[in-house]
Amino acid sequence: MSAPLNLTVVDPELADLIAQIKKEVMLDFACHAIGTVVTFTPGLVGRRATATIRVNYTKTYYERNLVTGKYSPVPGGIPYPILLDVPVFILGGGATSGLTFPILPGHECMVFFNDRDIDNWFAAAPGSLPVENASGRLHSFSDGIALIGFAQVTGYDLLRVLMFNGLTQVGCSATQVRIRNATISLGTALGNLITAIEGIVTTKCVVNAPVVLNLATITALQAVRVQLAGLLE
């Protein structure tokens, strides 16, 4: 049973009281929030990567109609304060290995609120021994940790494990690997290179005379060089 939002309980029963207490507890209980990155600060020496984050919804307040006695939500709501110095989750095995992504203002994320105060952990060096709680805070908006990338993906690849940035992709299927950008794949570029080399090998050679490449072969090799330069760093 949930606490009634649009009715005034004139003679509350025990169930009404329990429901109201339950609602008040849940209103003060921060668990998860969907947010948007406002700014991002990469981790420096001795510091964790952090972001400032805007929560993507507002607080809802109810106003009582003095005539009907019913409650209705106040239009617009009230924004939550900007979350400051939120540690950003980095996928990896520690300081020596990991996987990072470009994080920019406007990227959506999921913020998880730690059970306890994380200030002492946040100030301590990564990998340090357990630290005591800085205060008695519980599930507070001051103790968020951000998981960036809570967003929609168009053209979801159902066949490959895929890492992408824009139209550049590195994909892994059950049997093959694919590397490509917006214009060409590495497999196609290498296939073009092999074709061009085959043109050299099959060129008629004269003993003790230089091999003369025809214009088509030279053009093909130059085209492959451009393709590979545009695909690989």
Side-chain angles (χ1 to χ4, degrees):
M1 177 179 180
S2 61
L5 295 176
N6 297 322
L7 297 174
T8 302
V9 181
V10 177
D11 188 13
E13 298 178 354
L14 179 60
D16 297 317
L17 179 61
I18 293 175
Q20 186 61 38
I21 293 174
K22 178 181 176 182
K23 178 175 175 58
E24 291 179 359
V25 169
M26 288 190 293
L27 286 173
D28 292 333
F29 188 92
C31 187
H32 311 98
I34 300 171
T36 296
V37 174
V38 178
T39 62
F40 173 68
T41 303
L44 304 175
V45 177
R47 289 279 296 173
R48 305 177 191 274
T50 61
T52 58
I53 296 171
R54 181 189 72 245
V55 177
N56 285 1
Y57 48 85
T58 59
K59 299 178 183 179
T60 302
Y61 283 88
Y62 288 84
E63 191 173 58
R64 183 172 181 266
N65 187 304
L66 297 178
V67 177
T68 64
K70 295 183 178 182
Y71 288 84
S72 58
V74 178
I78 297 178
Y80 285 91
I82 296 294
L83 307 180
L84 304 176
D85 287 331
V86 180
V88 173
F89 175 81
I90 304 297
L91 184 64
T96 59
S97 63
L99 181 63
T100 64
F101 305 91
I103 298 175
L104 300 173
H107 286 177
E108 286 192 304
C109 62
M110 178 69 78
V111 183
F112 302 89
F113 298 100
N114 200 56
D115 288 354
R116 301 291 187 272
D117 188 334
I118 63 171
D119 285 351
N120 283 347
W121 167 84
F122 183 74
S128 61
L129 295 174
V131 295
E132 62 179 328
N133 294 323
S135 73
R137 286 201 307 256
L138 301 173
H139 297 277
S140 169
F141 261 56
S142 300
D143 301 315
I145 299 174
L147 180 63
I148 312 295
F150 189 75
Q152 296 179 348
V153 176
T154 58
Y156 200 103
D157 194 324
L158 299 176
L159 301 177
R160 302 173 184 83
V161 176
L162 193 65
M163 181 172 64
F164 63 92
N165 189 356
L167 296 177
T168 300
Q169 303 176 350
V170 177
C172 178
S173 69
T175 58
Q176 293 178 305
V177 174
R178 182 178 69 175
I179 301 174
R180 67 165 298 111
N181 61 12
T183 58
I184 195 171
S185 70
L186 180 59
T188 300
L190 293 177
N192 294 340
L193 177 61
I194 292 172
T195 300
I197 294 175
E198 287 174 343
I200 297 174
V201 173
T202 57
T203 299
K204 184 177 180 179
C205 300
V206 179
V207 178
N208 297 325
V211 175
V212 179
L213 302 182
N214 59 47
L215 180 60
T217 301
I218 295 175
T219 301
L221 285 171
Q222 292 173 338
V224 173
R225 182 176 63 182
V226 172
Q227 291 171 351
L228 292 174
L231 180 62
L232 303 175
E233 290 187 341

